[in-house]
Amino acid sequence: MIRGLIDRYRNWLDLPQNLTPVTIGEGDTALVHWDDWGQSRIWLKLEGTNPTGSFKDRGMTVAVSMARYGGARAVICASTGNTAASAAAFAARAGLEAFVVIPDGQVALPKMVQSAVHGAHLIGVQGNFDQALAAVRQAAESESWLTLVNSVNPWRIRGQETAAYEIVDDLGHPPVMLALPVGNAGNISAYHQGFIRYGKQAPRFIGVQAKGADPLVQGRWLDEVNTVASAIRIGRPASADTARLAVEQTGGLFLSIDDGAILAAQQELAHGGVFVEPASAAAYGGLKELSRMERLPEGDIVVILTGMGLKDTDTPQRWANLTLTSSRADAIVQTISQMLNLSEA
Ligand SMILES: *Cc1c(COP(=O)(O)O)cnc(C)c1O
């Protein structure tokens, strides 16, 4: 039985003893052996199988549990979509109000639907994610009944560390390399902390950004950001310092790939049975880029697939074919044999 990650890793999280977890059965996601590239063994961690479809649930179970424990009436976040969906679900589970502040017109519709069905209050602001985050930080500072649940909340990061614990438990040791997408940079910081705490040694971190939203590659803040990977469309990562530390201390690197490479990676994963959203595909695309440059080490390499594909149904329509072949009901066999011939030709 899945008990939720606070129950499973409570001894590692330094939580108050009488805290009651707010859980929807998050964590315990699969680590799937994907392929061997030479002497590198490639694993995919499917974080899209969390209850709201992204890794944000790991941080949210801890942050919302602590918010309720501390007497908050409501939680608030700025979001490119997945934090909002997760905050909305966990707040609903906890009996708290949720306010989610999103950059107007820039969030994929299914993520807004998720937030709305759980009863969150949606607020759109003119501007990008970074401006939305500045606004909610200010709001949470001025109101004691309102808890900020973005990844600048240290409980979010503690919860997200548990993904590193699971990888160490599954492999029996930390991997040699780990690739993940980097937006606001909370998650890469969490993995770094998590591997050091639980595995005693961290892998080389490959932090992948999208060209057009790659401040950590360029080494400067970006005020204009643009990419299909909306979950990492961020120009001023709040956890930039700890992300740089993760990369520097492990001999890793930041790299960025363009939207074409992100969509190609999404398609390649999907054609292998794994459907993820564009931001997650970026991590896989980035690792492939390193592989082409023959820069992969021998041993276990883990790619973090942060969010599931149905969270953004517009983007894959740029490459997936949704047109129906029509057929008479009594002619299905003839139709499929024609289609087979066509695809073989
Ligand atoms: C939030 C998110 C990211 C980026 O994580 P950060 O902690 O902001 O770097 C990547 N992919 C998906 C699917 C996300 O929801």
Side-chain angles (χ1 to χ4, degrees):
M1 190 188 69
I2 297 176
R3 294 173 294 162
L5 60 83
I6 292 182
D7 275 355
R8 266 185 293 123
Y9 291 114
R10 186 147 193 152
N11 294 342
W12 295 87
L13 295 175
D14 304 310
L15 296 167
Q17 236 163 28
N18 56 345
L19 173 123
T20 309
V22 178
T23 179
I24 324 176
E26 60 294 322
D28 200 16
T29 61
L31 186 66
V32 175
H33 177 225
W34 171 250
D35 203 358
D36 291 329
W37 298 345
Q39 298 301 306
S40 311
R41 207 166 166 73
I42 310 298
W43 301 85
L44 308 178
K45 182 126 174 100
L46 303 187
E47 288 290 280
T49 60
N50 275 295
T52 75
S54 86
F55 73 85
K56 300 296 199 299
D57 295 343
R58 292 181 184 277
M60 213 55 80
T61 180
V62 181
V64 172
S65 297
M66 285 301 293
R68 189 175 67 179
Y69 180 83
R73 226 189 102 200
V75 297
I76 189 168
C77 65
S79 180
T80 57
N82 285 335
T83 299
S86 186
F90 281 87
R93 193 89 194 89
L96 301 177
E97 300 287 326
F99 295 91
V100 306
V101 179
I102 57 179
D104 204 355
Q106 290 183 50
V107 171
L109 181 61
K111 301 178 184 179
M112 303 227 303
V113 172
Q114 282 187 292
S115 305
V117 295
H118 295 305
H121 308 280
L122 276 70
I123 302 170
V125 294
Q126 297 299 319
N128 57 28
F129 170 82
D130 303 294
Q131 289 157 317
L133 180 59
V136 298
R137 284 177 102 151
Q138 214 171 20
E141 263 162 42
S142 73
E143 305 298 327
S144 61
W145 51 271
L146 186 59
T147 299
L148 182 66
V149 292
N150 278 103
S151 59
V152 292
N153 178 329
W155 293 113
R156 275 278 309 276
I157 302 295
R158 289 307 308 268
Q160 287 170 211
E161 280 185 24
T162 59
Y165 307 172
E166 289 175 13
I167 292 170
V168 173
D169 284 343
D170 285 347
L171 294 176
H173 52 83
V176 292
M177 181 176 271
L178 183 138
L180 79 174
V182 177
N184 213 24
N187 209 30
I188 189 171
S189 308
Y191 273 95
H192 187 216
Q193 237 176 249
F195 278 115
I196 288 172
R197 195 186 312 275
Y198 194 86
K200 302 202 170 54
Q201 195 189 330
R204 283 159 69 180
F205 283 102
I206 308 303
V208 185
Q209 301 206 288
K211 282 211 163 70
D214 55 354
L216 292 167
V217 177
Q218 296 203 31
R220 63 186 176 92
W221 295 146
L222 302 177
D223 288 322
E224 294 283 321
V225 278
N226 196 18
T227 165
V228 287
S230 55
I232 52 172
R233 197 184 285 149
I234 291 174
R236 296 168 174 261
S239 300
D241 290 346
T242 45
R244 284 194 200 98
L245 210 64
V247 161
E248 281 161 18
Q249 290 192 346
T250 63
L253 59 94
F254 291 110
L255 63 87
S256 55
I257 65 172
D258 65 24
D259 282 355
I262 290 173
L263 294 177
Q266 184 183 41
Q267 179 169 9
E268 185 172 319
L269 286 167
H271 287 176
V274 177
F275 184 25
V276 299
E277 69 169 282
S280 313
Y284 181 76
L287 193 72
K288 289 211 71 162
E289 180 104 2
L290 279 189
S291 170
R292 270 192 293 275
M293 292 153 63
E294 299 188 356
R295 290 175 62 183
L296 295 191
E298 289 181 12
D300 293 310
I301 298 180
V302 175
V303 185
I304 307 302
L305 297 179
T306 45
M308 69 108 75
L310 287 174
K311 281 183 165 282
D312 174 354
T313 49
D314 284 338
T315 308
Q317 292 188 39
R318 300 189 194 191
W319 54 265
N321 184 3
L322 268 70
T323 42
L324 294 182
T325 301
S326 68
S327 170
R328 285 205 336 258
D330 60 1
I332 294 290
V333 172
Q334 290 90 317
T335 306
I336 60 180
S337 60
Q338 267 170 14
M339 291 171 85
L340 264 184
N341 290 339
L342 278 180
S343 72
E344 272 159 19

